[in-house]
């Protein structure tokens, strides 16, 4: 049971935004209208885009993926100036647990009411509010992206370096963002193991992304 309990929290932090949260995301798009005025809209290609997660706990870490549902990127000239993205929590996967039984139990538990209630919270959302050029670092990151991330109906700003570019009708962005799960009320819900399991998991987890959008 311990093997199952400890990794549960970190995976699910990516995946839940009810209707109210989606309305907030829409409002955020309107708030950044000036920066995207006159921009062209590129459609996100879900089959070419990826989102991965890594969460650490006492004695190790766990990782997995979730599918990009849809989205759009705003482009001016050869610069990305905005974007909206939705992630389908029904596609949550755990990659480090190779045992099929343990893997299935973990994924199923993440989807039920003890954690993220997939039926009530089908998506997570991210809305870009600004993209600022920076001097390229060793990883090739050439921009600082800031935006509003919505999980479980709670929206908070997130900022991270990314490698962005536009060429021949294709816009791309990749990078790693660090997210504080406590800001999204992401806590292990079991009355039996909750307090101990929650403290065993680090507050911060990372999201690695690679998004491709086409004109």
């Amino acid at each position: 049971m311990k093997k199952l309990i400890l990794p549960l929290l970190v995976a699910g932090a990516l995946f839940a935004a009810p209707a109210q949260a989606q309305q907030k995301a829409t409002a955020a798009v309107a708030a950044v209208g000036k920066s995207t005025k006159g921009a062209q809209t590129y459609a996100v290609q879900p089959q070419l885009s990826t989102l991965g997660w890594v969460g650490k706990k006492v004695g190790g870490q766990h990782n997995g993926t979730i599918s990009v549902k849809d989205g759009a990127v705003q482009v001016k000239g050869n610069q990305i100036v905005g974007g909206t993205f939705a992630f389908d929590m029904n596609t949550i996967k755990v990659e480090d647990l190779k045992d099929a039984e343990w893997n299935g139990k973990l994924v199923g538990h993440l989807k039920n009411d003890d954690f993220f209630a997939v039926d009530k919270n089908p998506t997570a959302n991210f809305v870009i509010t600004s993209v600022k050029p920076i001097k390229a670092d060793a990883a090739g990151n050439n921009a600082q992206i800031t935006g509003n991330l919505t999980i479980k109906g709670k929206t908070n700003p997130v900022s991270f370096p990314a490698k962005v570019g536009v060429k021949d009708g294709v816009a791309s962005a990749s990078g790693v963002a660090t997210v504080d799960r406590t800001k999204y009320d992401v806590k292990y819900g079991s009355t039996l193991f909750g307090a101990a399991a929650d403290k065993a998991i680090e507050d911060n987890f990372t999201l690695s992304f690679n998004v491709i959008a086409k004109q």
Side-chain angles (χ1 to χ4, degrees):
M1 177 62 73
K2 183 178 179 181
K3 181 179 180 182
L4 176 61
I5 294 298
L6 296 182
L8 293 180
L9 178 64
V10 291
L14 314 177
F15 313 116
Q20 183 180 3
Q22 294 179 15
Q23 292 172 359
K24 290 182 180 180
T26 301
V29 175
V32 296
K34 287 186 178 181
S35 65
T36 60
K37 185 177 181 180
Q40 292 183 301
T41 298
Y42 285 36
V44 171
Q45 307 296 298
Q47 72 278 14
L48 301 177
S49 303
T50 60
L51 178 69
W53 58 265
V54 175
K56 296 182 179 181
K57 64 182 180 66
V58 174
Q61 66 178 42
H62 298 276
N63 64 279
T65 62
I66 185 172
S67 296
V68 178
K69 183 177 181 181
D70 55 40
V73 174
Q74 281 72 50
V75 175
K76 282 186 178 180
N78 63 347
Q79 300 293 323
I80 294 175
V81 295
T84 60
F85 311 91
F87 308 99
D88 182 2
M89 70 165 294
N90 284 290
T91 64
I92 178 174
K93 291 183 179 180
V94 177
E95 294 189 331
D96 62 287
L97 293 178
K98 302 306 181 183
D99 181 272
E101 182 179 359
W102 279 109
N103 194 300
K105 287 181 178 179
L106 174 53
V107 171
H109 194 55
L110 287 169
K111 291 182 178 181
N112 70 26
D113 287 344
D114 191 37
F115 263 89
F116 301 102
V118 174
D119 58 333
K120 301 172 186 175
N121 304 285
T123 59
N125 297 283
F126 182 67
V127 178
I128 295 176
T129 55
S130 72
V131 182
K132 297 181 179 180
I134 60 174
K135 182 178 180 180
D137 62 17
N141 297 317
N142 57 2
Q144 188 74 15
I145 295 179
T146 300
N148 293 316
L149 178 64
T150 301
I151 299 170
K152 291 187 69 179
K154 296 184 179 297
T155 301
N156 292 286
V158 176
S159 186
F160 49 89
K163 181 179 180 180
V164 301
V166 180
K167 184 177 181 180
D168 298 330
V170 177
S172 62
S174 61
V176 179
T178 300
V179 179
D180 182 351
R181 65 181 176 86
T182 65
K183 293 183 177 180
Y184 300 91
D185 195 29
V186 175
K187 299 177 181 178
Y188 183 64
S190 170
T191 57
L192 178 61
F193 298 101
D198 192 57
K199 290 180 180 179
I201 302 168
E202 291 189 8
D203 288 345
N204 290 335
F205 65 93
T206 59
L207 302 177
S208 59
F209 62 91
N210 181 44
V211 175
I212 301 295
K214 293 185 178 180
Q215 194 173 17

